[in-house]
Amino acid sequence: MREDSVRISNINVYLIRAAFFAVLIVGLVDSAISFLRIEGFLPALTGEQLANDLGRAQFRGPYVHMPLIVLSLVIAAFTRTLGFTWLALLVVGAELLIVIGRFVFSYEQAFLADLVRFWYAALFLFASAYTLLEEGHVRVDVFYAGMQAKTKGYVNAVGSVILGMSLCAVVLFIGFGGKQSIINSPILAYETTQAGFGLYVKYLMAGFLGVFAVSMLIQFVSYFLDAVADIRGEPGGRDHDSHTVQ
């Protein structure tokens, strides 16, 4: 059970790592395109026709964002870091650029604020599965802390199914329930913000909910198997009080 739990968790780690690289690369590239469009440099670099195409979400999404996402899947296969520490630092750096640009150079553009929201949403939603793996979520341990390992296993197993998997299933069912659902609709329309020259990534942020639900569902399956292993008394269990492996 523990080996299966670790194997499933490792698959999830790869998916989250790929998602990190996707939001990192897409955010930087889309910001560069928006900056070049604002300053009028894009036609000189790409030509008038391509510059106009890059101004359309229906072009930038499939021909710029999607190849970058595929590239992220490849990069994630050859790295061993989740990268969320760096993403948190990048969010702070983007905020710092906004402050410096606004109060020092009197320069402010919508794409910078969009970049902060894009990265922060990814940091919050994608890191949730990793936080579950490290048992970093807030939990009331008044009764749980005094339980035996087997009892904790029952609590974690039931909680994973009743509270965790069910929540993820509801998010996936509602979010992907039809063309007009809260996730499908923005993605299919390549929805963008109404701010002029902002990032064209709003549809990806709707997809973040799907990534969150899938990654959490996978991690809850891993957590459930680990809990069953605790019930069966298999060696190598996690000390849920200190978050270390015994």
Side-chain angles (χ1 to χ4, degrees):
M1 283 291 184
R2 297 207 193 278
E3 291 180 358
D4 292 336
S5 175
V6 171
R7 190 176 297 111
I8 292 173
S9 183
N10 288 339
I11 294 173
N12 208 30
V13 167
Y14 167 74
L15 294 176
I16 297 301
R17 186 165 59 237
F20 159 72
F21 281 109
V23 297
L24 172 64
I25 298 173
V26 170
L28 292 176
V29 171
D30 213 70
S31 296
I33 293 174
S34 295
F35 173 76
L36 293 173
R37 288 185 67 219
I38 292 170
E39 302 302 327
F41 298 142
L42 196 58
L45 294 175
T46 64
E48 194 69 35
Q49 181 59 47
L50 183 55
N52 291 333
D53 289 336
L54 289 172
R56 297 186 298 110
Q58 287 73 14
F59 179 89
R60 198 185 299 190
Y63 294 105
V64 177
H65 296 165
M66 296 307 156
L68 293 177
I69 292 174
V70 173
L71 175 62
S72 302
L73 293 171
V74 176
I75 294 175
F78 295 97
T79 61
R80 289 296 178 268
T81 175
L82 282 174
F84 284 105
T85 302
W86 296 106
L87 187 57
L89 180 62
L90 288 170
V91 170
V92 175
E95 286 280 13
L96 181 61
L97 284 177
I98 293 176
V99 173
I100 293 175
R102 179 184 301 172
F103 296 104
V104 177
F105 299 102
S106 298
Y107 183 85
E108 183 178 5
Q109 297 296 341
F111 75 87
L112 290 173
D114 288 345
L115 181 62
V116 171
R117 284 190 290 267
F118 183 61
W119 280 346
Y120 186 77
L123 176 65
F124 180 79
L125 292 174
F126 296 169
S128 295
Y130 178 73
T131 307
L132 176 61
L133 172 64
E134 296 296 325
E135 297 196 337
H137 287 288
V138 175
R139 179 173 58 195
V140 180
D141 289 344
V142 175
F143 301 106
Y144 182 85
M147 295 177 180
Q148 299 295 323
K150 186 174 183 179
T151 306
K152 289 181 179 180
Y154 279 111
V155 172
N156 291 332
V158 173
S160 295
V161 176
I162 302 300
L163 301 178
M165 297 181 192
S166 60
L167 171 65
C168 297
V170 169
V171 173
L172 292 173
F173 178 78
I174 296 177
F176 295 99
K179 290 185 177 181
Q180 300 304 316
S181 62
I182 59 174
I183 296 178
N184 282 340
S185 179
I187 292 177
L188 293 175
Y190 291 102
E191 185 175 337
T192 63
T193 61
Q194 298 301 314
F197 295 101
L199 298 189
Y200 286 17
V201 295
K202 186 176 181 180
Y203 74 99
L204 291 176
M205 295 175 69
F208 286 179
L209 290 173
V211 176
F212 163 78
V214 170
S215 62
M216 288 293 285
L217 180 60
I218 295 174
Q219 199 59 53
F220 273 120
V221 171
S222 174
Y223 203 71
F224 173 79
L225 294 178
D226 195 53
V228 173
D230 288 337
I231 296 172
R232 295 171 58 177
E234 295 184 9
R238 181 183 296 274
D239 184 348
H240 297 283
D241 295 325
S242 63
H243 312 310
T244 58
V245 177
Q246 299 175 349

